[in-house]
Amino acid sequence: MQVFCRLLGDDYETLPQVVQDFHDLKHTHWQGHASSKGSNNPLARVLRRIFGFPKLGEEMSVDVWLSSDGGWDQWRRKFGDRRFQSSFHADATGVLDERFGPFRFGFRLRVDGDRMYWDFVRWGLGPLPLPLILGPRIITYETAAASGAYEFYSQADFPLIGRLVNYHGFITPVDD
């Protein structure tokens, strides 16, 4: 059983089929398009570059490659010419733990209607927890678009930096 299914339990079955297919790894390669927005201040630009977050732009191609290994789901993403990746697992408290470079982010997953929301609950640098007051304000959801594509939305605002990244896109499976 994959990470997201374990965390959501029975609510997982209420998600749109394309969202379940994505998390069940029925396809390991997905393609589509997205737009990206964010603050244009120098610190935000540098951080986006370091982490490989998408360049700011109205429309860009997106590729996502999925895999699973030892209880961890890995997502490798390519937005335009930028690449970034993260790994996910279910921790002992029922929180989705995302590892992104040296950073850790914790989310409680919930389903509301046809959307799965990621509610931000903690963050850290390596094993060191970081104060929530200094952390990002994150809004993330997944659903099915009217076209049947997998739709994703993610926004991260940081104190002093502003909107680090906001991307919204649509992907469909590529025949493996």
Side-chain angles (χ1 to χ4, degrees):
M1 187 183 315
Q2 300 302 328
V3 172
F4 288 76
C5 180
R6 283 196 314 269
L7 287 170
L8 285 172
D10 291 341
D11 286 345
Y12 186 77
E13 297 298 323
T14 68
L15 289 170
Q17 189 61 52
V18 70
V19 176
Q20 291 181 48
D21 289 350
F22 181 85
H23 290 290
D24 288 343
L25 306 181
K26 291 199 182 226
H27 305 275
T28 58
H29 183 197
W30 295 66
Q31 283 184 325
H33 59 92
S35 60
S36 177
K37 300 174 185 170
S39 172
N40 210 15
N41 74 53
L43 184 54
R45 284 195 314 263
V46 167
L47 288 173
R48 275 194 301 273
R49 183 85 173 153
I50 288 170
F51 286 108
F53 284 143
K55 292 179 184 174
L56 304 184
E58 286 305 310
E59 203 63 32
M60 68 191 76
S61 64
V62 174
D63 284 275
V64 180
W65 294 271
L66 307 170
S67 62
S68 183
D69 183 28
W72 288 79
D73 287 356
Q74 287 89 31
W75 298 5
R76 291 183 304 122
R77 308 164 187 91
K78 183 179 177 199
F79 282 67
D81 64 352
R82 296 270 179 93
R83 295 175 183 267
F84 63 104
Q85 63 184 21
S86 57
S87 300
F88 304 88
H89 80 101
D91 79 2
T93 68
V95 170
L96 176 68
D97 184 42
E98 179 179 18
R99 303 289 169 101
F100 189 79
F103 289 95
R104 294 178 299 112
F105 297 91
F107 300 92
R108 289 231 182 258
L109 301 178
R110 68 181 166 88
V111 175
D112 187 1
D114 64 351
R115 289 184 175 179
M116 176 174 56
Y117 288 91
W118 303 32
D119 296 330
F120 175 71
V121 295
R122 68 175 182 234
W123 72 313
L125 180 59
L128 177 68
L130 295 173
L132 278 177
I133 192 126
L134 299 177
R137 305 301 173 255
I138 298 174
I139 299 169
T140 298
Y141 70 80
E142 306 171 21
T143 191
S147 67
Y150 170 91
E151 179 180 354
F152 58 90
Y153 177 88
S154 191
Q155 174 181 312
D157 298 328
F158 278 84
L160 305 176
I161 297 172
R163 180 140 309 141
L164 179 61
V165 69
N166 166 303
Y167 52 84
H168 181 214
F170 306 88
I171 54 178
T172 57
V174 175
D175 291 331
D176 294 322

